[in-house]
Amino acid sequence: MNRAPAALVLADGATFEGYAAGFLPASGVTSGEFVFNTALSGYQEVITDPSYAGQIISFTYPHIGNYGVSALDDEAARPWCEGLVARELSLSPSSWRAEGALEPFLVRHHVPAIVGVDTRRLTRHLRAHGALPGAFGHADLATVADAASRAVGTDGLDLVSSVSTMTPYARGDGARHVVAIDYGVKATMVRQLANRFRVSVVPASSTSADVLALEPDGVFLSNGPGDPAALARYVAEVEGLIGEVPLFGICLGHQLLANALGATTYKLPFGHHGSNHPVQDLTTGKIEVTAQNHNYAVDAGSLHRAVVTHRNLNDGVVEGLAVESERCFSVQYHPEAGPGPHDARYLFERFAALIERGRRTVV
Amino acid sequence: MPRRDDIHSIMVIGSGPIVIGQACEFDYSGTQACQVLRDEGYRVILVNSNPATIMTDPATADVTYVEPLDLGVVSEIIERERPDALLPTLGGQTALNLTMALVRAGVTQRFGVEVIGARPEAIETAENRELFKSAMADIGLGVPESGFAHDVDEALAIAQRIGWPIIIRPSYILGGAGTGIAEDDVALRRLAREGIAASPVGEILVERSIAGWKEFELEVMRDRHDNCVVVCSIENVDPMGVHTGDSVTVAPAQTLSDVEYQAMRDDAFAILRRVGVETGGSNVQFAVNPATGERLVIEMNPRVSRSSALASKATGFPIAKIAARLAVGYSLDEIVNDITKSTPASFEPVLDYVVTKIPRWAFEKLPGASSVLGTRMQSVGEVMAIGRNFAESLQKAIRSLEQGRAGFAAGPTREFADVDDETLWHRCEVATPERLYALHEVMWRGASVAEAAARTKIDPWFIDQMNEIVIRERELGAADVTTFDARTWRRYRQWGFSDAQVAAITGEELDRVAEARRAVAPVTYKTVDTCAAEFAAHTPYHYGTTEDETEVHPSSRDRVIILGSGPNRIGQGIEFDYCCVHASYVLREMGLESVMVNCNPETVSTDYSTSDRLYFEPLTPEDLAEVIAAEEAACVDGARVIGVIVSLGGQTPLKLAHSLDPSLVLGTPVAAIDAAEDRQRWSTLCRNLGLRQPPGDVAVTADEALAVAEQIGYPVLVRPSYVLGGRAMEIVYDATALGRVMRDLTGAHGALAREGGVSVTRPILLDRFLEDAIEVDVDAVRDTAGDVFVAGVMEHVEEAGIHSGDSACALPPQSLGDGIIATINQITSRIAEALGVVGLLNVQYAVKDDEVYVLEANPRASRTVPFVAKATGVALAQVAVRVMLGQSLAMLRDAGIVPAQTPRPPYVSVKEAVLPFNRFPAVDSILGPEMRSTGEVMGIGESFGIAFAKSQLAAGTGLPDGGQVFMSLADRDKVGGLELARQLVALGFTVAATVGTAGYLRANGVTVTTLVGKVGLATLGVDAVSLIGDGAVQLVINTPSGGVAKVDGALIRHASVTHGVPCLTTLSAGFAAARGIADTRQHGWRVRSLQDLHRQ
Ligand SMILES: Nc1ncnc2c1ncn2[C@@H]1O[C@H](COP(=O)(O)OP(=O)(O)O)[C@@H](O)[C@H]1O
Ligand SMILES: Nc1ncnc2c1ncn2[C@@H]1O[C@H](COP(=O)(O)OP(=O)(O)O)[C@@H](O)[C@H]1O
Ligand SMILES: [Mg+2]
Ligand SMILES: [Mg+2]
């Protein structure tokens, strides 16, 4: 297959060669914030994870698309990422699960891609200079470079409002009722909750009053894209929930809870995106290999009301916090694992236990 | 909780001789373990019978016993050393089985030795298939439907219940020995019989065959806190039915969705927990139904394995090292990742490249063996290649094999070009070493990916990739490469095309291709770092690809490049890796940077911590040229590449030496090497020195050969030049035989076609064959000043005519007079002088009627270097490297590194070869001038007899202390045989003999109790084969009559091999055995550590 030559340019001017693939935008150029993901499998889940809104995902594993795509693996109705960078994009997938190849999927969902790139050099560059905005495409180099110089990152943006569900919906039929606030929730997360509870998924715009009106036994704060510092309006609502009901937050939900508890967040140099990060549960000492996808993290020093329950063993980043008295806890990583290892799914049980305990103390 | 302080000394059991299914991957893991445990401050006691390993270097462990891996012997060592703990998981199946034996015999308990790394119960559960099956049932995991049988009828009954096809697999086996797939009763009966025999516990698993399913392996680790990680996933390109050790395999898995992969990961951990592997690494094998995703468990190995060595090299995560640390109390999070130095080992490595492993077989050396691959492992070595995508790694792996192929795409010289479609398809469907290349041809002929996948059961994803390579090959064929721009070059490089391949495909000149390509698309070197560049890597473990940037760190230190020996093969194995590793050690000691280039994943040389830099690359001229360029580019502040060491890795680097700038070759110049290999020049040299050689000459054509033979007289020994291990070497007794041999050697598809064929520059050598001569091997070092150190003189047990690699030998020599030895030393020095050797020289002699004949000289490291080093305590390879770098022997003598003269130890060391016949029932086990052993063992004792007896036990066929000896001798051996018979009778043996032999013995007063008739017809006495089969014989002495292997002889030898009865095929070995039995009785055995012996 003959692809059009394309270029990838980062905001700092670093330039990479490749070939245009996937959806070909008329403008011939796509921009966004470049992040790399080190997972060896699960590209479809990653591409359809709403937390990647505004970002261009570079896969460090060279072969992407080998086993095609399957509706079962969608984390959202459509991908929210801006684009995709790969070394190789498989044209003829092989899997009994496959419903088609990845590239047509990208075209269908208007996701542009660039392939044949020295993705390892790109990773090393991002490692050294941090996640950078930039652009890529088959337009002439000047055009791409110009787009790159004007590209913006995700700092200070509210990307949640665009990815959150417009209308509430229900899942599962457990005995307890959990309201899940959708800041960009992943399907696997909803599935994990629905396996245990009756779940009402509500828009991010819901106020604490709206939520409490649904008489939840517990409230779940989902993952989502972008910079928590730009989401004050959601934080305010979370504040209104603390102490009222048992709370469980994941990823962005974890950061919003931390903010609501008065803690601050900061941006990591290039974030954590992959399926192999070792996290230690400080309460049990056990190590979990975890799926991760975040650029921002909670500042341990600013956590006064909550205790740190989990740490990343690679860089010490806060991976989990809890406030016993307020019956709330959250983790930075992805225990629902879609994609990624299942080591941390026990946390959903913890949530269930917390809810039960919650009821006893109330009664 | 970190390091355990309640234990202080740990015994490590090695895996013994290199055999098929258990090769130098265990030298790699064992060496790592010993180093780690010593770093942790434990006293390490090592037992391993294999002298060729780094593991048995006196420097690797605190106490090193090169003794047979036998229950009695090891019990004695335990009693002597009283280790606190025993680590059994790093010495393969051998160490595991021996440990179980020690536990069952109550030895560990009696001496309070704690088995660490894996509890005996866990080993039991994993190794005993019945226990394993029910364990899997407990945790709800599927295994192929099966039943256990202890006799053929039982097996048949189960088969009828399950339905065909059926696979037979014995309990407690290694490398799939005794396993196979049966389509019907007949095959089943045969396989069942063999299987029950192969199993130490006489038990087989009769199982539903799922041949054709996808096969996966997960390398997993668990620590005492129940933290589990997957180090690496491996996908077999050859589906179920072909042993993983014989399959082309790829890491990481390519065709599993995350959903399937995570489920498999969950299963693997569940298995680890259920089996009870508390700490360490395990290998879990799964089969997946390609149509439904149904997943079944095949087996788990609760120890480091061949695959874990591959996984370590593929990911940079050193499984053996970590397993050793876990065994002494650490948890994964307490161990730092060597490579990042900042992150813990409690993570799962990620790759940003693809790794392909291709096995290498030795069928060409095993006439009679079918080359069809199955559930029995048959390969003798493997290569691994790293590329940024599958195509690149596949093509690099193929050129790493050194089989004359520049890659997957073959260019104009397509080896299957003249095979008809039907035959071709057959070659694709039946797994053999050539299958890949048949696949190339079939795709070249335009077969569809779908059909090829359906017929081969190889996943379409892999077939499609191969097809893409063929498409690129076609494009190239039509392209003008001189016009290629950087982008275009890259595109083809990234599909794995080498310059040589492009040249072959386009018909363009290689130099022009290389020049054009290098100008715009030079090779860049990436780093294997366990984390896909997420963190900075400190370990310079590199592989080549063609992309934007090179990651080789500039350095201001002078460097030396060491060329490894590539894939293990018969004739070129671990001995050479030992030499390369020693070179690296001594270079670092000398303050130089050592740079290793090799493509063999099993070895210590490709452990990234062995050298300052490791290039995991194919050993071809162009890949080497790129490495040298990269190293030169990385030199700063006047640092330089001092040179390349080509003389320690066997023939592989020597062949490459010709492509090097001569000024870069360290030590003996290439010209001198050629002088020794080139017959004319060599003969002239001998003549000038007045040295006696067996009369001989060279020939290119058959007629020339016949003429030469007439003139020198039969028998003649025929052999090509530039080969190792006596490749294609034959003894011929008459003109017809000679004609046949020449036809085979010179034919277009002859034995050597792939290896470069026969030519005027590469003629055939014919020698008068010296019958009944004593063969002697000598290893020596010469320095630039002309000073020579003869390190060891070895006397062979078998007479000349049996390849030095296959015959037992003793150091010091046993029967040679001092006069002869003096002559040999003196000739050796003169040859070294005449050749201008700088470094190692190996000379082989034949001594007949007190005349010394020179057979050949190899101005390079020989197979015996590690043996000599261990027998004498002199680190010979290191001495050689120092000398190559200009140090003088005089200086090294002063420094105490080299002794004043040839050491004559007060004990005897015997090296014995280990042969692969038990895996190839169809191959006659008779020895000859073509080497066929895969490995070697060493026996050390106060007397030759004891050393020899130990070596036999170590080799797996211990000498009996009595019983019946069965003698069947060639006529020329009858006289000598009589003496041997008398000795054995004196030792209390009863004698059985074939008619001829019996007649002669009886006529000379030896009582023959059993008369053995022709195999098959028992008219003239009992049938030889059934006699052996019934266990009525404890020792077989069967010397083949000259030349033609007699059918009966073959059958007798076969019977001995299958029933594990020691079978000696030469009188000399017979006499050695008699001495061994006598000495053992008189003095018994003592175990001594190398450190102890060397102190003497
Ligand atoms: N039920 C089966 N049907 C078909 N092939 C099988 C089956 N079980 C094992 N095999 C094949 O036999 C090979 C060797 O089996 P395995 O149990 O792994 O023995 P080993 O201990 O020698 O590795 C496997 O790699 C696989 O390819
Ligand atoms: N003229 C000869 N007479 C008897 N045996 C010989 C003679 N030449 C070689 N051999 C035997 O053949 C074996 C292999 O020959 P060699 O030249 O050593 O081949 P390689 O180079 O493969 O080691 C030797 O070890 C020796 O036993
Ligand atoms: Mg196996
Ligand atoms: Mg030789």
Side-chain angles (χ1 to χ4, degrees):
Chain A
M1 161 167 196
N2 273 330
R3 303 182 178 281
L8 183 163
V9 183
L10 298 175
D12 66 2
T15 306
F16 300 73
E17 271 189 353
Y19 296 87
F23 177 69
L24 301 181
S27 64
V29 48
T30 306
S31 54
E33 178 179 66
F34 284 86
V35 296
F36 63 84
N37 181 303
T38 62
L40 295 178
S41 56
Y43 50 80
Q44 186 184 345
E45 295 89 321
V46 169
I47 293 167
T48 55
D49 176 347
S51 299
Y52 282 99
Q55 297 181 317
I56 295 168
I57 308 160
S58 173
F59 286 99
T60 62
Y61 186 63
H63 283 287
I64 297 302
N66 293 11
Y67 53 85
V69 292
S70 157
L72 297 169
D73 296 345
D74 280 331
E75 286 298 328
R78 51 159 282 201
W80 290 97
C81 62
E82 293 298 329
L84 188 153
V85 185
R87 178 59 155 69
E88 310 283 341
L89 191 58
S90 175
L91 299 172
S92 34
S94 162
S95 170
W96 60 281
R97 296 176 79 249
E99 291 156 4
L102 176 58
E103 186 150 25
F105 175 92
L106 296 176
V107 174
R108 197 162 64 245
H109 292 293
H110 294 243
V111 178
I114 178 170
V115 299
V117 173
D118 184 344
T119 46
R120 182 169 168 92
R121 183 185 142 224
L122 177 57
T123 306
R124 284 159 51 85
H125 192 88
L126 295 176
R127 182 181 88 212
H129 302 82
L132 285 166
F136 72 81
H138 54 281
D140 58 284
L141 187 57
T143 315
V144 179
D146 176 59
S149 63
R150 286 186 287 99
V152 291
T154 55
D155 307 24
L157 298 184
D158 170 2
L159 295 159
V160 169
S161 46
S162 51
V163 303
S164 177
T165 178
M166 299 295 160
T167 52
Y169 57 92
R171 291 280 184 280
D173 49 14
R176 307 287 174 234
H177 180 213
V178 164
V179 171
I181 305 179
D182 173 9
Y183 303 110
V185 73
K186 289 170 61 189
T188 313
M189 242 175 237
V190 176
R191 230 176 285 126
Q192 285 297 316
L193 291 167
N195 288 344
R196 300 168 171 84
F197 315 104
R198 178 166 60 84
V199 185
S200 308
V201 182
V202 302
S205 55
S206 320
T207 65
S208 50
D210 301 339
V211 172
L212 293 172
L214 297 169
E215 297 178 339
D217 297 304
V219 173
F220 175 79
L221 309 173
S222 86
N223 66 299
D227 180 354
L231 305 175
R233 50 184 277 227
Y234 307 120
V235 174
E237 301 308 324
V238 174
E239 276 176 36
L241 295 168
I242 295 175
E244 298 300 319
V245 279
L247 284 174
F248 176 25
I250 289 180
C251 200
L252 181 65
H254 158 80
Q255 294 164 358
L256 296 178
L257 178 64
N259 287 157
L261 289 164
T264 56
T265 53
Y266 63 100
K267 187 166 196 180
L268 294 166
F270 50 87
H272 296 157
H273 312 275
S275 294
N276 72 332
H277 281 253
V279 165
Q280 186 155 38
D281 179 336
L282 303 176
T283 52
T284 64
K286 280 271 295 170
I287 291 150
E288 300 149 22
V289 176
T290 66
Q292 302 230 352
N293 172 31
H294 61 109
N295 288 70
Y296 301 86
V298 172
D299 175 0
S302 69
L303 270 178
H304 303 302
R305 287 174 64 191
V307 295
V308 175
T309 57
H310 294 76
R311 285 232 182 238
N312 186 310
L313 291 175
N314 284 342
D315 55 14
V317 164
V318 173
E319 293 287 351
L321 61 83
V323 187
E324 258 316 287
S325 54
E326 310 285 13
R327 292 176 295 146
C328 58
F329 73 104
S330 62
V331 289
Q332 179 61 77
Y333 56 97
H334 287 266
E336 82 283 358
H342 302 156
D343 300 10
R345 282 192 172 166
Y346 71 93
L347 286 170
F348 289 90
E349 295 308 322
R350 254 194 210 180
F351 186 36
L354 187 64
I355 286 175
E356 295 313 319
R357 197 144 49 81
R359 295 179 62 83
R360 273 196 305 281
T361 49
V362 172
V363 177
Chain B
M1 180 206 83
R3 182 185 184 287
R4 281 181 62 174
D5 302 326
D6 57 329
I7 50 175
H8 308 288
S9 58
I10 300 172
M11 173 181 267
V12 174
I13 301 180
S15 63
I18 302 298
V19 294
I20 290 173
Q22 210 165 258
C24 48
E25 63 267 19
F26 295 108
D27 187 24
Y28 163 65
S29 47
T31 303
Q32 278 201 334
C34 293
Q35 285 165 349
V36 169
L37 295 175
R38 288 182 89 189
D39 292 349
E40 292 294 337
Y42 295 102
R43 178 159 177 278
V44 175
I45 302 138
L46 171 68
V47 194
N48 191 0
S49 54
N50 186 342
T53 57
I54 289 294
M55 192 182 187
T56 50
D57 245 14
T60 306
D62 295 275
V63 193
T64 310
Y65 285 90
V66 179
E67 296 283 354
L69 294 172
D70 161 82
L71 177 57
V73 174
V74 175
S75 307
E76 196 174 329
I77 297 171
I78 289 177
E79 178 159 19
R80 232 172 145 232
E81 297 289 339
R82 297 306 180 95
D84 299 325
L86 168 60
L87 183 56
T89 51
L90 296 145
Q93 198 69 49
T94 305
L96 229 43
N97 292 354
L98 182 53
T99 304
M100 291 307 282
L102 288 163
V103 171
R104 290 205 191 87
V107 178
T108 46
Q109 195 236 5
R110 180 154 6 109
F111 298 105
V113 183
E114 177 187 353
V115 177
I116 57 173
R119 287 176 304 108
E121 309 75 63
I123 299 174
E124 189 73 36
T125 314
E127 293 293 326
N128 177 307
R129 297 198 184 271
E130 190 142 8
L131 290 176
F132 184 69
K133 273 185 54 203
S134 54
M136 293 305 96
D138 293 352
I139 51 175
L141 294 185
V143 299
E145 204 190 330
S146 66
F148 283 87
H150 302 79
D151 62 55
V152 175
D153 298 339
E154 214 177 333
L156 215 51
I158 299 165
Q160 264 122 26
R161 195 186 78 235
I162 295 174
W164 309 99
I166 284 289
I167 179 172
I168 300 287
R169 303 159 68 223
S171 303
Y172 283 100
I173 46 146
L174 86 101
T179 78
I181 295 176
E183 302 280 349
D184 54 36
D185 297 29
V186 187
L188 184 102
R189 287 178 178 283
R190 197 188 80 254
L191 287 166
R193 214 175 300 109
E194 283 179 34
I196 291 164
S199 164
V201 295
E203 177 187 77
I204 56 168
L205 182 66
V206 181
E207 190 169 85
R208 161 191 175 201
S209 171
I210 48 173
W213 286 28
K214 297 170 17 149
E215 183 164 13
F216 295 89
E217 294 176 83
L218 291 190
E219 294 303 318
V220 290
M221 299 207 82
R222 183 177 184 215
D223 71 15
R224 56 214 319 270
H225 299 327
D226 190 33
N227 298 313
C228 298
V229 296
V230 174
V231 175
C232 186
S233 65
I234 301 174
E235 179 165 0
N236 288 217
V237 173
D238 298 278
M240 287 288 292
V242 178
H243 194 278
T244 50
D246 274 358
S247 298
V248 174
T249 63
V250 176
Q254 298 298 324
T255 64
L256 284 181
S257 64
D258 191 66
V259 176
E260 295 165 286
Y261 170 73
Q262 298 301 343
M264 190 179 279
R265 180 180 179 275
D266 293 345
D267 289 357
F269 293 168
I271 293 169
L272 234 63
R273 292 179 173 120
R274 173 59 184 82
V275 167
V277 177
E278 279 164 340
T279 75
S282 293
N283 159 267
V284 189
Q285 293 169 32
F286 293 95
V288 173
N289 182 332
T292 64
E294 178 188 2
R295 180 173 59 256
L296 298 177
V297 181
I298 298 312
E299 73 154 353
M300 84 98 77
N301 296 301
R303 53 171 172 88
V304 302
S305 62
R306 181 187 331 101
S307 304
S308 63
L310 183 71
S312 301
K313 304 291 170 77
T315 59
F317 187 102
I319 292 174
K321 251 190 212 174
I322 308 253
R325 284 221 167 82
L326 295 180
V328 296
Y330 289 93
S331 57
L332 285 163
D333 55 308
E334 291 169 335
I335 304 169
V336 275
N337 176 338
D338 276 2
I339 290 189
T340 63
K341 299 243 189 286
S342 63
T343 57
S346 54
F347 79 118
E348 301 193 340
V350 285
L351 287 60
D352 56 4
Y353 48 83
V354 175
V355 169
T356 300
K357 169 215 93 180
I358 304 182
R360 176 158 167 157
W361 295 266
F363 293 110
E364 74 277 9
K365 288 180 145 286
L366 301 158
S370 117
S371 65
V372 174
L373 307 177
T375 59
R376 299 167 183 236
M377 178 171 167
Q378 300 177 91
S379 60
V380 294
E382 60 190 33
V383 297
M384 177 181 113
I386 312 176
R388 280 276 282 153
N389 58 24
F390 172 69
E392 187 180 38
S393 72
L394 177 72
Q395 296 231 66
K396 283 176 79 175
I398 289 170
R399 66 186 199 251
S400 301
L401 282 168
E402 285 176 66
Q403 291 177 323
R405 299 186 180 90
F408 178 73
T413 60
R414 291 168 14 232
E415 60 204 270
F416 291 99
D418 38 24
V419 174
D420 65 82
D421 288 5
E422 194 181 327
T423 323
L424 183 62
W425 273 117
H426 184 73
R427 305 287 240 111
C428 295
E429 288 161 11
V430 180
T432 65
E434 277 70 43
R435 180 194 222 172
L436 267 180
Y437 318 108
L439 265 165
H440 171 269
E441 179 67 23
V442 113
M443 298 323 285
W444 179 266
R445 291 186 194 179
S448 75
V449 170
E451 183 177 12
R455 288 205 180 195
T456 58
K457 302 279 188 298
I458 292 175
D459 191 284
W461 190 84
F462 294 109
I463 304 273
D464 179 66
Q465 291 282 311
M466 295 176 196
N467 191 43
E468 287 289 329
I469 297 176
V470 172
I471 292 169
R472 300 291 171 284
E473 179 183 10
R474 281 221 177 72
E475 289 172 8
L476 270 173
D480 172 7
V481 297
T482 53
T483 66
F484 279 8
D485 61 2
R487 259 183 188 270
T488 319
W489 269 120
R490 268 204 194 187
R491 199 148 148 272
Y492 288 105
R493 291 295 294 187
Q494 292 177 354
W495 280 101
F497 287 89
S498 66
D499 295 342
Q501 215 174 349
V502 173
I505 293 167
T506 58
E508 194 55 67
E509 238 172 68
L510 177 54
D511 299 352
R512 290 192 60 200
V513 172
E515 212 173 301
R517 196 265 309 159
R518 283 209 196 106
V520 292
V523 169
T524 54
Y525 292 91
K526 303 279 184 191
T527 310
V528 171
D529 63 6
T530 73
C531 61
E534 183 174 5
F535 305 99
H538 296 273
T539 312
Y541 170 8
H542 300 298
Y543 66 94
T545 184
T546 310
E547 280 190 302
D548 294 359
E549 67 173 355
T550 268
E551 297 173 22
V552 179
H553 286 295
S555 125
S556 56
R557 285 164 60 210
D558 288 350
R559 60 213 57 196
V560 171
I561 297 170
I562 306 163
L563 303 188
S565 53
N568 279 11
R569 63 209 91 169
I570 290 176
Q572 184 169 307
I574 188 172
E575 301 83 358
F576 297 104
D577 197 66
Y578 164 97
C579 293
C580 295
V581 170
H582 267 255
S584 187
Y585 288 171
V586 71
L587 287 169
R588 300 179 86 169
E589 215 173 291
M590 295 169 76
L592 296 163
E593 270 185 0
S594 65
V595 178
M596 185 71 66
V597 188
N598 200 2
C599 54
N600 181 343
E602 306 174 314
T603 58
V604 177
S605 66
T606 52
D607 177 343
Y608 59 73
S609 53
T610 296
S611 304
D612 290 292
R613 259 186 310 295
L614 167 64
Y615 289 85
F616 209 108
E617 288 287 277
L619 288 158
T620 71
E622 77 181 74
D623 294 290
L624 175 56
E626 295 283 354
V627 167
I628 295 174
E631 279 299 316
E632 272 163 351
C635 284
V636 294
D637 315 335
R640 60 190 193 93
V641 175
I642 293 182
V644 182
I645 294 181
V646 301
S647 57
L648 298 181
Q651 283 295 338
T652 300
L654 285 187
K655 291 216 187 95
L656 289 173
H658 296 87
S659 75
L660 288 174
D661 162 358
S663 67
L664 274 181
V665 176
L666 291 176
T668 311
V670 179
I673 295 166
D674 291 345
E677 285 277 0
D678 175 299
R679 182 40 170 260
Q680 253 109 8
R681 292 162 68 187
W682 171 237
S683 303
T684 335
L685 184 142
C686 290
R687 218 171 301 113
N688 299 345
L689 295 177
L691 304 180
R692 202 177 272 92
Q693 273 185 292
D697 205 343
V698 307
V700 175
T701 68
D703 298 349
E704 287 173 30
L706 287 164
V708 172
E710 284 317 318
Q711 176 233 325
I712 61 174
Y714 291 92
V716 294
L717 185 93
V718 187
R719 70 171 117 154
S721 42
Y722 285 110
V723 296
L724 198 83
R727 176 83 192 92
M729 173 138 54
E730 285 197 55
I731 300 165
V732 294
Y733 287 74
D734 53 45
T736 25
L738 180 55
R740 176 183 53 76
V741 171
M742 287 304 290
R743 261 196 311 288
D744 180 42
L745 286 180
T746 53
H749 297 290
L752 296 174
R754 278 229 156 285
E755 295 149 67
V758 175
S759 67
V760 191
T761 54
R762 211 160 165 265
I764 300 262
L765 318 180
L766 295 104
D767 281 328
R768 174 59 190 279
F769 177 70
L770 304 173
E771 291 182 282
D772 303 321
I774 299 172
E775 182 164 1
V776 180
D777 242 280
V778 176
D779 285 311
V781 177
R782 177 180 177 277
D783 68 11
T784 36
D787 194 350
V788 174
F789 166 62
V790 175
V793 177
M794 290 150 277
E795 177 178 352
H796 290 205
V797 170
E798 287 81 2
E799 59 275 31
I802 302 212
H803 193 278
S804 45
D806 283 0
S807 51
C809 70
L811 186 159
Q814 296 302 299
S815 77
L816 301 177
D818 293 352
I820 298 274
I821 292 177
T823 319
I824 286 175
N825 287 346
Q826 185 245 5
I827 299 179
T828 306
S829 308
R830 289 173 54 209
I831 293 176
E833 186 62 43
L835 285 172
V837 169
V838 177
L840 281 161
L841 171 69
N842 163 262
V843 188
Q844 286 166 31
Y845 299 94
V847 179
K848 188 173 165 115
D849 313 328
D850 287 351
E851 293 291 359
V852 177
Y853 295 81
V854 181
L855 295 185
E856 68 158 1
N858 304 307
R860 53 162 170 90
S862 75
R863 215 168 283 118
T864 41
V865 166
F867 172 71
V868 171
K870 276 148 206 185
T872 64
V874 180
L876 193 51
Q878 300 200 11
V879 172
V881 171
R882 289 179 176 279
V883 162
M884 289 184 218
L885 289 162
Q887 298 189 351
S888 73
L889 285 167
M891 177 186 138
L892 296 174
R893 286 202 184 86
D894 298 342
I897 294 172
V898 175
Q901 70 274 34
T902 309
R904 259 188 159 279
Y907 49 89
V908 183
S909 301
V910 169
K911 181 211 90 182
E912 178 57 287
V914 175
L915 295 128
F917 299 125
N918 58 349
R919 257 166 206 281
F920 303 98
V923 179
D924 188 355
S925 59
I926 168 182
L927 302 176
E930 170 150 7
M931 177 174 170
R932 291 186 299 179
S933 57
T934 55
E936 69 205 52
V937 292
M938 179 173 180
I940 308 172
E942 294 69 29
S943 74
F944 169 75
I946 289 177
F948 182 79
K950 278 187 175 180
S951 74
Q952 298 308 295
L953 180 60
T957 46
L959 298 172
D961 185 42
Q964 178 157 250
V965 56
F966 171 30
M967 301 180 81
S968 178
L969 307 173
D971 291 337
R972 63 182 166 86
D973 289 330
K974 296 228 159 80
V975 184
L978 175 61
E979 171 52 26
L980 177 56
R982 291 195 172 119
Q983 291 188 11
L984 289 167
V985 169
L987 285 165
F989 280 84
T990 58
V991 179
T994 39
V995 184
T997 311
Y1000 183 84
L1001 294 178
R1002 281 176 172 163
N1004 292 280
V1006 175
T1007 339
V1008 177
T1009 40
T1010 317
L1011 186 64
V1012 184
K1014 279 236 149 293
V1015 176
L1017 39 124
T1019 46
L1020 284 157
V1022 295
D1023 167 307
V1025 171
S1026 42
L1027 187 72
I1028 296 167
D1030 302 343
V1033 171
Q1034 286 63 48
L1035 177 64
V1036 176
I1037 296 170
N1038 174 233
T1039 67
S1041 1
V1044 276
K1046 284 265 190 333
V1047 184
D1048 270 24
L1051 290 170
I1052 291 170
R1053 292 185 287 270
H1054 179 212
S1056 319
V1057 170
T1058 27
H1059 297 94
V1061 180
C1063 176
L1064 307 170
T1065 57
T1066 63
L1067 278 190
S1068 34
F1071 283 106
R1075 277 178 66 182
I1077 295 165
D1079 288 12
T1080 305
R1081 259 195 223 159
Q1082 255 178 15
H1083 316 289
W1085 291 358
R1086 290 177 50 220
V1087 292
R1088 303 274 304 278
S1089 73
L1090 284 186
Q1091 289 80 359
D1092 218 358
L1093 293 162
H1094 293 166
R1095 238 176 266 114
Q1096 294 198 353

